[in-house]
Amino acid sequence: MKTQLLWQLLLISLVSCIGTDYLDDPKDSAILTNVTSASLETGATFQIEAVYYYNMWVAEPSATLFWRSKNAGVATVNQTGLVSGVSKGQTQIEVWYPDEDTVTVLVTVVSNLNDVSDVLISSPTSSIDVNESINLSIEVYNLNGEPFAGEGDTLWTVSDETVATIDQDGLLTGIGDGRLDVMATVAGVSSEPLPIMVGLQARTGTLQGVGSYQAIGTATLYVNENEELMLELSDNFTTSFALGTFAYLANSTDGSVVRAQGLEIAEIKENGGKLYNVSAINPDVELYDYRYVIILCKPASITFGYADLN
C-alpha cells in the first residue's frame, strides 16, 4: 500500500507540472525506480519498483522492462524486479527498456542483521591543491541502520593515482590536476564513489528531492584546466521528469525566484551523468556566484530538487 501511494503521488506530481500539452514532442524516455540502493539478508527478497515514462512525463505501466543482475552469485532478480539475496556481497541490478534508458540499483547482501550494510565517506572539502593532504573519514552501518560494532579493516582506493593517492588511514594527497573518485570498502561492502577535484577549484553538493519529487546524485561545479567553469552531474544522477525539466544555478530554492533570477544551464531529458560548460553560457559567472544547483520544472516554476554547494 505504501509503495502504491508513492507511485500515485509521483504521478500526480509529474502531471501537475506539465505546463502546456504538446502532442508532437519528441520521445525522451526515462525509468524511475523507488530506490537507488538496497540491502537485504541472504535468503530474503526485496521488490524494486520501476516505471517506464514515455516523453518524460507519460507513464506506461504496461511497458515491458528487462532485468538482470551483474553478479547472480550475490543476488538474482526476476523479470518483475524481485531481488533475492544469494550470498554476502554487492552487485548492480540493471533495469532497462530496449534501445532506450537503463537504470542501475546497488544491492548489498548480508548474512545477518549485524553485518556491514552501508559505508559512507565524508570529506572536509571537495577539492584540494596539488601536494595538499586531507583526512577522509567513514561511517559504517549495519542492516538495522545502527553503527557497525564488528571488526573490519577499511580499504581505501582511488580511481586515478596520477591525480591523487590515499593511504589506508584515509589520508588523501594530491598528485596532479584532475578529478577522481574515492571509495572505501569495509568487510567487503563498498561506499558510493566520492568525487574529489585536485588542483582545480571546485564546489560539490548532494542533490535532494523536494516534497514528492526525486533528485539523486552529486553536483560538482569546478574550474577546469582551461579556466572554464564546468557543471558536472554524477553518473548516478536521477530526477523526476516533467515537460520542461531544466538545470539551473541559483541563490534560492524557490522555483519562481530560480526561473526569474537563476542561470539556466540546460534542459534535462534523461537520467545519468552530464557535463555542462557554464562559461560558454555566461563567461562572467564565477565559481562562488551561486549557492545552489537546481533541478526545475520550468513551465510551472517548481523545484524538483537541489544541491547546496559547499
Side-chain angles (χ1 to χ4, degrees):
M1 182 64 70
K2 184 176 180 180
T3 300
Q4 181 181 4
L5 178 60
L6 174 63
W7 289 120
Q8 289 174 344
L9 289 173
L10 179 59
L11 180 58
I12 292 170
S13 301
L14 291 173
V15 172
S16 68
C17 190
I18 292 172
T20 305
D21 185 16
Y22 297 96
L23 297 179
D24 297 323
D25 282 337
K27 183 175 180 180
D28 291 296
S29 64
I31 297 172
L32 293 183
T33 58
N34 58 332
V35 294
T36 58
S37 63
S39 299
L40 67 159
E41 286 187 277
T42 55
T45 60
F46 181 85
Q47 181 67 51
I48 299 176
E49 305 286 346
V51 174
Y52 171 78
Y53 284 83
Y54 180 91
N55 274 1
M56 299 180 289
W57 55 271
V58 179
E60 288 193 3
S62 61
T64 301
L65 297 176
F66 294 87
W67 301 77
R68 66 178 164 219
S69 170
K70 287 190 173 182
N71 187 345
V74 172
T76 60
V77 62
N78 67 16
Q79 293 308 301
T80 67
L82 183 67
V83 178
S84 300
V86 177
S87 65
K88 187 175 179 179
Q90 286 182 301
T91 187
Q92 294 276 356
I93 299 297
E94 293 184 326
V95 52
W96 75 95
Y97 190 83
D99 300 321
E100 294 187 12
D101 201 24
T102 299
V103 173
T104 61
V105 175
L106 176 66
V107 170
T108 301
V109 178
V110 301
S111 58
N112 62 71
L113 297 177
N114 294 317
D115 281 344
V116 174
S117 175
D118 292 292
V119 179
L120 308 176
I121 306 177
S122 60
S123 171
T125 180
S126 60
S127 63
I128 61 175
D129 293 328
V130 174
N131 297 323
E132 181 183 1
S133 297
I134 57 171
N135 283 106
L136 305 184
S137 58
I138 60 170
E139 297 178 9
V140 185
Y141 298 95
N142 64 20
L143 194 59
N144 286 326
E146 301 167 339
F148 177 61
E151 296 182 356
D153 293 333
T154 302
L155 174 64
W156 293 93
T157 58
V158 295
S159 60
D160 189 344
E161 291 190 343
T162 67
V163 176
T165 60
I166 192 167
D167 67 20
Q168 294 312 302
D169 293 320
L171 182 68
L172 182 75
T173 301
I175 301 297
D177 289 343
R179 176 194 181 281
L180 81 162
D181 291 324
V182 182
M183 293 180 65
T185 302
V186 178
V189 176
S190 297
S191 67
E192 290 288 327
L194 175 71
I196 297 288
M197 303 299 300
V198 178
L200 308 176
Q201 293 179 296
R203 299 168 65 201
T204 298
T206 300
L207 286 160
Q208 55 184 301
V210 175
S212 61
Y213 300 103
Q214 182 184 41
I216 295 169
T218 301
T220 303
L221 191 66
Y222 68 93
V223 180
N224 68 13
E225 60 274 10
N226 297 320
E227 300 299 319
E228 297 170 316
L229 187 62
M230 309 295 292
L231 173 62
E232 182 176 21
L233 301 180
S234 59
D235 290 343
N236 67 331
F237 169 71
T238 304
T239 184
S240 299
F241 280 103
L243 188 62
T245 303
F246 284 77
Y248 275 76
L249 293 176
N251 286 314
S252 170
T253 61
D254 180 270
S256 297
V257 177
V258 172
R259 183 173 179 180
Q261 301 178 7
L263 177 65
E264 181 181 308
I265 302 301
E267 184 174 8
I268 300 173
K269 295 185 176 182
E270 59 184 9
N271 293 317
K274 297 175 181 9
L275 183 64
Y276 304 111
N277 189 323
V278 179
S279 294
I281 298 168
N282 186 338
D284 296 326
V285 175
E286 297 183 356
L287 183 62
Y288 287 91
D289 285 350
Y290 293 101
R291 176 176 174 178
Y292 300 104
V293 174
I294 304 291
I295 308 302
L296 184 76
C297 174
K298 182 178 176 181
S301 299
I302 294 178
T303 298
F304 281 170
Y306 67 91
D308 192 347
L309 300 171
N310 62 24

Coordinates of all heavy atoms in Angstrom, one line a residue, residues 125-206:
T125 N 36.4 18.8 2.5 CA 36.4 19.7 1.3 C 36.2 18.8 0.1 O 36.5 17.6 0.1 CB 37.6 20.5 1.2 OG1 37.5 21.3 0.0 CG2 38.9 19.7 1.1
S126 N 35.7 19.4 -1.0 CA 35.5 18.7 -2.2 C 36.7 18.9 -3.2 O 36.7 18.3 -4.3 CB 34.2 19.1 -2.9 OG 34.2 20.5 -3.2
S127 N 37.7 19.7 -2.8 CA 38.8 20.0 -3.7 C 40.0 20.3 -2.9 O 40.0 20.8 -1.8 CB 38.5 21.2 -4.6 OG 38.3 22.4 -3.9
I128 N 41.2 19.9 -3.4 CA 42.5 20.1 -2.7 C 43.5 20.6 -3.8 O 43.3 20.4 -5.0 CB 43.0 18.9 -2.0 CG1 43.3 17.7 -3.0 CG2 42.1 18.5 -0.9 CD1 43.9 16.5 -2.4
D129 N 44.6 21.2 -3.3 CA 45.6 21.6 -4.2 C 46.6 20.4 -4.4 O 46.6 19.5 -3.7 CB 46.4 22.8 -3.6 CG 45.6 24.0 -3.5 OD1 44.7 24.2 -4.4 OD2 45.8 24.8 -2.6
V130 N 47.4 20.5 -5.5 CA 48.5 19.6 -5.7 C 49.4 19.7 -4.5 O 49.8 20.7 -4.0 CB 49.2 19.9 -7.0 CG1 50.4 19.0 -7.2 CG2 48.3 19.7 -8.2
N131 N 49.8 18.5 -4.0 CA 50.7 18.4 -2.8 C 50.0 18.6 -1.5 O 50.6 18.5 -0.4 CB 51.9 19.3 -2.9 CG 52.8 18.9 -4.1 OD1 53.0 17.7 -4.4 ND2 53.4 19.9 -4.7
E132 N 48.7 18.9 -1.5 CA 47.9 19.1 -0.3 C 47.4 17.7 0.2 O 47.1 16.9 -0.7 CB 46.8 20.1 -0.5 CG 45.9 20.3 0.8 CD 44.8 21.2 0.5 OE1 44.6 21.7 -0.6 OE2 44.0 21.5 1.5
S133 N 47.3 17.5 1.5 CA 46.7 16.3 2.0 C 45.5 16.6 2.9 O 45.5 17.6 3.6 CB 47.8 15.5 2.8 OG 48.8 15.1 2.0
I134 N 44.5 15.7 2.9 CA 43.4 15.8 3.8 C 43.0 14.4 4.3 O 43.4 13.4 3.7 CB 42.1 16.4 3.1 CG1 41.8 15.6 1.9 CG2 42.3 17.9 2.8 CD1 40.4 16.0 1.2
N135 N 42.4 14.4 5.5 CA 42.0 13.1 6.1 C 40.5 12.9 5.8 O 39.6 13.8 6.1 CB 42.2 13.1 7.6 CG 43.6 12.9 7.9 OD1 44.3 13.8 8.4 ND2 44.1 11.7 7.8
L136 N 40.2 11.8 5.1 CA 38.8 11.4 4.9 C 38.4 10.4 6.0 O 39.2 9.8 6.6 CB 38.7 10.7 3.6 CG 39.2 11.4 2.3 CD1 38.9 10.6 1.1 CD2 38.6 12.8 2.2
S137 N 37.1 10.4 6.3 CA 36.5 9.6 7.4 C 35.3 8.8 6.8 O 34.8 9.2 5.8 CB 36.2 10.4 8.6 OG 35.2 11.4 8.3
I138 N 34.9 7.8 7.6 CA 33.8 7.0 7.1 C 32.8 6.7 8.3 O 33.2 6.8 9.5 CB 34.2 5.6 6.5 CG1 35.0 4.8 7.6 CG2 35.0 5.8 5.3 CD1 35.2 3.4 7.2
E139 N 31.6 6.5 7.9 CA 30.6 6.0 8.9 C 30.1 4.6 8.3 O 29.9 4.5 7.1 CB 29.4 6.9 9.0 CG 29.8 8.3 9.6 CD 28.7 9.3 9.7 OE1 27.5 8.8 9.4 OE2 28.9 10.4 9.9
V140 N 30.0 3.7 9.2 CA 29.7 2.3 8.8 C 28.4 1.8 9.6 O 28.4 2.0 10.8 CB 30.8 1.3 9.0 CG1 30.5 -0.1 8.5 CG2 32.1 1.8 8.4
Y141 N 27.4 1.3 8.9 CA 26.2 0.9 9.5 C 25.8 -0.5 9.1 O 26.2 -1.0 8.1 CB 25.0 1.8 9.1 CG 25.2 3.3 9.5 CD1 25.8 4.2 8.6 CD2 24.9 3.7 10.7 CE1 26.0 5.5 8.9 CE2 25.1 5.0 11.1 CZ 25.6 5.9 10.2 OH 25.8 7.2 10.6
N142 N 25.0 -1.2 10.0 CA 24.5 -2.5 9.7 C 23.2 -2.4 9.1 O 22.7 -1.3 8.8 CB 24.5 -3.4 11.0 CG 23.6 -2.8 12.1 OD1 22.6 -2.1 11.8 ND2 23.8 -3.3 13.3
L143 N 22.5 -3.6 8.9 CA 21.3 -3.6 8.2 C 20.2 -2.9 8.9 O 19.2 -2.5 8.3 CB 20.9 -5.1 7.8 CG 19.8 -5.3 6.8 CD1 20.2 -4.6 5.5 CD2 19.5 -6.7 6.6
N144 N 20.3 -2.8 10.2 CA 19.3 -2.1 11.1 C 19.5 -0.6 11.1 O 18.7 0.1 11.8 CB 19.3 -2.7 12.5 CG 18.7 -4.1 12.6 OD1 17.7 -4.4 11.9 ND2 19.2 -4.9 13.5
G145 N 20.5 -0.1 10.4 CA 20.8 1.3 10.4 C 21.6 1.7 11.6 O 21.6 2.9 11.9
E146 N 22.1 0.8 12.4 CA 22.9 1.1 13.6 C 24.4 1.1 13.3 O 24.8 0.4 12.3 CB 22.6 0.0 14.7 CG 21.1 -0.1 15.0 CD 20.8 -1.3 15.9 OE1 21.6 -2.3 15.8 OE2 19.8 -1.3 16.5
P147 N 25.2 1.9 14.0 CA 26.6 1.8 13.8 C 27.2 0.4 13.9 O 26.8 -0.3 14.8 CB 27.2 2.7 14.9 CG 26.0 3.7 15.2 CD 24.8 2.8 15.1
F148 N 28.0 0.1 12.9 CA 28.6 -1.3 12.8 C 29.5 -1.5 14.0 O 30.4 -0.7 14.3 CB 29.4 -1.4 11.5 CG 30.1 -2.7 11.4 CD1 29.4 -3.9 11.4 CD2 31.5 -2.8 11.3 CE1 30.1 -5.1 11.3 CE2 32.1 -4.0 11.1 CZ 31.4 -5.2 11.1
A149 N 29.3 -2.5 14.8 CA 30.0 -2.8 16.0 C 31.1 -3.9 15.9 O 31.8 -4.2 16.8 CB 29.1 -3.2 17.1
G150 N 31.2 -4.5 14.7 CA 32.1 -5.5 14.4 C 33.5 -5.0 14.0 O 33.8 -3.8 14.2
E151 N 34.3 -5.9 13.6 CA 35.6 -5.6 13.2 C 35.8 -5.7 11.6 O 35.1 -6.5 11.0 CB 36.7 -6.5 13.8 CG 36.7 -6.4 15.3 CD 37.8 -7.3 15.9 OE1 38.4 -8.1 15.1 OE2 38.0 -7.3 17.1
G152 N 36.6 -4.9 11.1 CA 36.8 -4.9 9.6 C 37.7 -3.8 9.2 O 37.4 -2.6 9.5
D153 N 38.8 -4.1 8.6 CA 39.7 -3.0 8.1 C 39.1 -2.3 7.0 O 38.3 -2.8 6.2 CB 41.1 -3.7 7.6 CG 41.8 -4.3 8.8 OD1 41.7 -3.8 9.9 OD2 42.6 -5.2 8.6
T154 N 39.5 -1.0 6.9 CA 39.0 -0.2 5.8 C 40.0 -0.2 4.6 O 41.2 0.1 4.8 CB 38.8 1.3 6.2 OG1 37.9 1.3 7.3 CG2 38.2 2.1 5.1
L155 N 39.5 -0.5 3.4 CA 40.4 -0.5 2.2 C 40.0 0.7 1.4 O 38.9 0.9 0.9 CB 40.2 -1.7 1.4 CG 40.9 -1.8 0.0 CD1 42.4 -1.8 0.2 CD2 40.5 -3.0 -0.8
W156 N 41.0 1.7 1.3 CA 40.8 2.9 0.6 C 41.3 2.7 -0.8 O 42.4 2.2 -1.0 CB 41.4 4.1 1.2 CG 40.9 4.5 2.6 CD1 41.3 4.0 3.8 CD2 39.8 5.4 2.8 NE1 40.5 4.6 4.8 CE2 39.6 5.5 4.2 CE3 39.0 6.2 1.9 CZ2 38.6 6.3 4.7 CZ3 38.0 7.0 2.5 CH2 37.8 7.0 3.9
T157 N 40.6 3.2 -1.8 CA 41.0 3.2 -3.2 C 40.7 4.5 -3.9 O 39.7 5.2 -3.6 CB 40.4 2.0 -4.0 OG1 39.0 2.1 -4.0 CG2 40.9 0.7 -3.4
V158 N 41.5 4.8 -5.0 CA 41.2 6.0 -5.8 C 41.1 5.5 -7.2 O 41.7 4.5 -7.6 CB 42.2 7.1 -5.6 CG1 42.2 7.7 -4.2 CG2 43.6 6.6 -6.0
S159 N 40.4 6.2 -8.1 CA 40.2 5.8 -9.4 C 41.3 6.2 -10.3 O 41.5 5.7 -11.4 CB 38.9 6.5 -10.0 OG 38.9 7.9 -9.9
D160 N 42.2 7.2 -9.9 CA 43.3 7.6 -10.7 C 44.4 8.0 -9.9 O 44.4 9.1 -9.3 CB 42.8 8.8 -11.6 CG 43.9 9.1 -12.7 OD1 45.0 8.7 -12.6 OD2 43.5 9.9 -13.7
E161 N 45.4 7.2 -9.8 CA 46.6 7.5 -8.9 C 47.5 8.5 -9.5 O 48.5 8.9 -8.8 CB 47.4 6.2 -8.6 CG 46.6 5.3 -7.7 CD 47.4 4.1 -7.1 OE1 48.5 3.9 -7.7 OE2 47.0 3.5 -6.2
T162 N 47.3 9.0 -10.7 CA 48.1 10.1 -11.2 C 47.5 11.4 -10.8 O 48.2 12.5 -10.9 CB 48.1 10.1 -12.8 OG1 46.8 10.3 -13.3 CG2 48.6 8.7 -13.3
V163 N 46.3 11.4 -10.2 CA 45.7 12.6 -9.7 C 45.9 12.7 -8.2 O 46.2 13.8 -7.6 CB 44.2 12.7 -10.0 CG1 43.5 13.9 -9.4 CG2 44.0 12.7 -11.6
A164 N 45.7 11.6 -7.5 CA 45.9 11.6 -6.0 C 46.1 10.2 -5.5 O 45.7 9.2 -6.2 CB 44.7 12.2 -5.3
T165 N 46.8 10.1 -4.4 CA 47.0 8.8 -3.7 C 46.3 8.8 -2.4 O 46.0 9.9 -1.8 CB 48.4 8.4 -3.6 OG1 49.1 9.5 -2.8 CG2 49.1 8.3 -4.9
I166 N 46.0 7.7 -1.8 CA 45.4 7.6 -0.5 C 46.0 6.4 0.3 O 46.3 5.3 -0.3 CB 43.9 7.5 -0.6 CG1 43.2 7.7 0.8 CG2 43.5 6.1 -1.2 CD1 41.7 7.9 0.7
D167 N 46.4 6.7 1.5 CA 46.9 5.6 2.3 C 45.7 4.9 3.1 O 44.6 5.3 3.0 CB 48.0 6.0 3.3 CG 47.5 6.9 4.4 OD1 46.3 7.0 4.7 OD2 48.3 7.7 5.0
Q168 N 46.0 3.8 3.8 CA 45.0 3.0 4.4 C 44.5 3.6 5.7 O 43.7 3.0 6.4 CB 45.5 1.6 4.6 CG 45.7 0.9 3.3 CD 44.5 1.1 2.3 OE1 43.4 0.8 2.6 NE2 44.8 1.6 1.1
D169 N 45.0 4.8 6.1 CA 44.4 5.6 7.2 C 43.4 6.7 6.6 O 42.9 7.5 7.4 CB 45.5 6.3 8.0 CG 46.3 5.2 8.8 OD1 45.7 4.3 9.3 OD2 47.5 5.4 8.8
G170 N 43.2 6.7 5.3 CA 42.3 7.7 4.7 C 42.9 9.0 4.4 O 42.2 10.0 4.2
L171 N 44.3 9.1 4.4 CA 45.0 10.3 4.1 C 45.1 10.5 2.6 O 45.9 9.7 2.0 CB 46.3 10.4 4.8 CG 47.2 11.7 4.5 CD1 46.5 12.8 5.2 CD2 48.6 11.5 5.0
L172 N 44.4 11.4 2.0 CA 44.4 11.7 0.6 C 45.4 12.8 0.2 O 45.4 13.8 0.8 CB 43.0 12.0 0.1 CG 42.9 12.3 -1.4 CD1 42.8 10.9 -2.1 CD2 41.6 13.0 -1.7
T173 N 46.3 12.5 -0.8 CA 47.3 13.5 -1.2 C 47.2 13.8 -2.6 O 47.2 12.9 -3.5 CB 48.7 13.0 -0.8 OG1 48.8 12.7 0.6 CG2 49.8 14.0 -1.2
G174 N 47.1 15.1 -3.0 CA 47.0 15.5 -4.4 C 48.3 15.3 -5.1 O 49.4 15.7 -4.6
I175 N 48.3 14.7 -6.3 CA 49.5 14.5 -7.1 C 49.5 15.4 -8.4 O 50.5 15.9 -8.7 CB 49.6 13.0 -7.5 CG1 49.6 12.1 -6.3 CG2 50.8 12.8 -8.4 CD1 50.8 12.3 -5.4
G176 N 48.4 15.5 -9.1 CA 48.3 16.3 -10.3 C 46.9 16.8 -10.5 O 45.9 16.3 -9.9
D177 N 46.7 17.7 -11.4 CA 45.4 18.3 -11.7 C 44.5 17.3 -12.3 O 44.9 16.4 -13.1 CB 45.6 19.5 -12.7 CG 46.2 20.7 -12.1 OD1 46.3 20.8 -10.9 OD2 46.7 21.5 -12.9
G178 N 43.2 17.3 -11.8 CA 42.2 16.4 -12.4 C 41.2 16.1 -11.4 O 41.1 16.7 -10.3
R179 N 40.3 15.2 -11.8 CA 39.2 14.7 -10.9 C 39.3 13.2 -10.7 O 39.7 12.5 -11.7 CB 37.8 15.0 -11.6 CG 36.6 14.5 -10.9 CD 35.4 14.6 -11.8 NE 34.2 14.1 -11.1 CZ 33.9 12.9 -11.0 NH1 34.7 11.9 -11.4 NH2 32.7 12.5 -10.4
L180 N 39.0 12.8 -9.5 CA 39.0 11.3 -9.3 C 37.9 11.0 -8.3 O 37.3 11.8 -7.7 CB 40.3 10.9 -8.7 CG 40.6 11.1 -7.2 CD1 41.8 10.2 -6.8 CD2 40.9 12.5 -7.0
D181 N 37.6 9.7 -8.2 CA 36.6 9.2 -7.3 C 37.4 8.4 -6.2 O 38.3 7.6 -6.5 CB 35.6 8.2 -7.9 CG 34.7 9.0 -8.9 OD1 34.3 10.1 -8.5 OD2 34.3 8.5 -9.9
V182 N 36.9 8.6 -4.9 CA 37.5 7.8 -3.8 C 36.4 6.8 -3.3 O 35.2 7.2 -3.2 CB 37.9 8.8 -2.7 CG1 38.5 8.0 -1.5 CG2 38.9 9.8 -3.2
M183 N 36.9 5.6 -3.0 CA 35.9 4.6 -2.4 C 36.6 4.0 -1.2 O 37.8 3.9 -1.1 CB 35.6 3.6 -3.5 CG 34.8 4.1 -4.6 SD 34.4 2.8 -5.8 CE 33.4 1.7 -4.8
A184 N 35.7 3.6 -0.3 CA 36.1 2.9 0.9 C 35.4 1.6 1.0 O 34.1 1.6 0.8 CB 35.9 3.7 2.2
T185 N 36.1 0.5 1.4 CA 35.4 -0.8 1.5 C 35.7 -1.3 2.9 O 36.8 -1.3 3.3 CB 36.0 -1.8 0.4 OG1 35.8 -1.2 -0.9 CG2 35.3 -3.1 0.5
V186 N 34.6 -1.8 3.5 CA 34.7 -2.4 4.9 C 34.0 -3.7 4.8 O 32.8 -3.8 4.5 CB 34.1 -1.5 5.9 CG1 34.2 -2.1 7.3 CG2 34.8 -0.1 6.0
A187 N 34.7 -4.8 5.2 CA 34.1 -6.1 5.2 C 33.4 -6.5 3.9 O 32.3 -7.0 3.9 CB 33.1 -6.2 6.4
G188 N 34.0 -6.1 2.8 CA 33.5 -6.4 1.5 C 32.4 -5.5 1.0 O 31.9 -5.8 -0.1
V189 N 32.0 -4.5 1.7 CA 31.0 -3.6 1.3 C 31.6 -2.2 1.0 O 32.3 -1.6 1.8 CB 29.9 -3.4 2.4 CG1 28.9 -2.4 2.0 CG2 29.2 -4.7 2.7
S190 N 31.4 -1.8 -0.3 CA 32.0 -0.5 -0.7 C 31.0 0.6 -0.7 O 29.8 0.5 -0.8 CB 32.4 -0.7 -2.2 OG 33.4 -1.7 -2.3
S191 N 31.6 1.8 -0.5 CA 30.8 3.0 -0.5 C 30.5 3.5 -1.9 O 31.0 2.9 -2.9 CB 31.6 4.2 0.2 OG 32.8 4.5 -0.7
E192 N 29.6 4.4 -2.0 CA 29.4 5.1 -3.3 C 30.7 6.0 -3.6 O 31.3 6.4 -2.6 CB 28.2 6.0 -3.2 CG 26.9 5.3 -3.2 CD 26.5 4.6 -4.5 OE1 26.9 5.2 -5.6 OE2 25.9 3.5 -4.5
P193 N 31.1 6.1 -4.8 CA 32.3 7.0 -5.1 C 32.1 8.4 -4.7 O 31.0 9.0 -4.8 CB 32.4 6.9 -6.6 CG 31.6 5.7 -7.0 CD 30.5 5.6 -6.0
L194 N 33.1 9.0 -4.0 CA 33.2 10.4 -3.6 C 34.1 11.1 -4.6 O 35.2 10.9 -4.7 CB 33.7 10.5 -2.2 CG 33.8 11.9 -1.7 CD1 32.5 12.6 -1.5 CD2 34.7 12.0 -0.4
P195 N 33.5 12.1 -5.3 CA 34.3 12.9 -6.3 C 35.2 13.9 -5.6 O 34.7 14.6 -4.7 CB 33.3 13.5 -7.2 CG 32.1 13.6 -6.4 CD 32.1 12.5 -5.5
I196 N 36.5 14.0 -5.9 CA 37.4 15.0 -5.4 C 38.1 15.6 -6.6 O 38.6 15.0 -7.5 CB 38.4 14.3 -4.5 CG1 37.7 13.7 -3.2 CG2 39.5 15.4 -4.0 CD1 37.2 14.7 -2.2
M197 N 38.2 17.0 -6.5 CA 39.0 17.7 -7.5 C 40.4 18.0 -6.9 O 40.5 18.4 -5.8 CB 38.3 19.0 -7.9 CG 36.9 18.8 -8.4 SD 36.7 17.9 -9.9 CE 37.7 18.9 -11.0
V198 N 41.4 17.9 -7.7 CA 42.7 18.2 -7.3 C 43.3 19.3 -8.2 O 43.3 19.1 -9.4 CB 43.6 16.9 -7.3 CG1 45.1 17.3 -6.9 CG2 43.1 15.8 -6.5
G199 N 43.8 20.3 -7.5 CA 44.5 21.4 -8.3 C 43.5 22.3 -8.9 O 43.7 23.5 -9.0
L200 N 42.3 21.8 -9.3 CA 41.3 22.6 -9.9 C 40.3 23.0 -8.9 O 39.9 22.2 -8.1 CB 40.6 21.8 -11.0 CG 41.5 21.2 -12.1 CD1 40.7 20.3 -13.0 CD2 42.3 22.2 -12.8
Q201 N 39.9 24.3 -8.9 CA 38.9 24.8 -7.9 C 37.5 24.1 -8.1 O 37.1 24.0 -9.3 CB 38.8 26.3 -8.0 CG 40.0 27.1 -7.6 CD 39.8 28.5 -7.8 OE1 39.6 29.0 -8.9 NE2 39.8 29.2 -6.7
A202 N 36.9 23.7 -7.0 CA 35.6 23.0 -7.2 C 34.7 23.2 -6.0 O 35.2 23.4 -4.9 CB 35.9 21.5 -7.4
R203 N 33.4 23.1 -6.2 CA 32.4 23.0 -5.1 C 31.5 21.9 -5.4 O 31.1 21.6 -6.6 CB 31.6 24.3 -5.1 CG 32.5 25.5 -4.8 CD 31.7 26.8 -5.0 NE 30.6 26.9 -4.0 CZ 29.5 27.7 -4.2 NH1 29.4 28.4 -5.3 NH2 28.6 27.8 -3.3
T204 N 31.1 21.1 -4.4 CA 30.3 19.9 -4.6 C 29.1 20.0 -3.6 O 29.2 20.4 -2.5 CB 31.1 18.7 -4.3 OG1 32.2 18.6 -5.3 CG2 30.3 17.4 -4.5
G205 N 28.0 19.4 -4.1 CA 26.8 19.2 -3.2 C 26.0 18.0 -3.6 O 26.1 17.5 -4.7
T206 N 25.3 17.5 -2.6 CA 24.5 16.3 -2.9 C 23.0 16.7 -3.2 O 22.4 17.4 -2.4 CB 24.5 15.4 -1.6 OG1 25.8 15.0 -1.4 CG2 23.6 14.1 -1.9

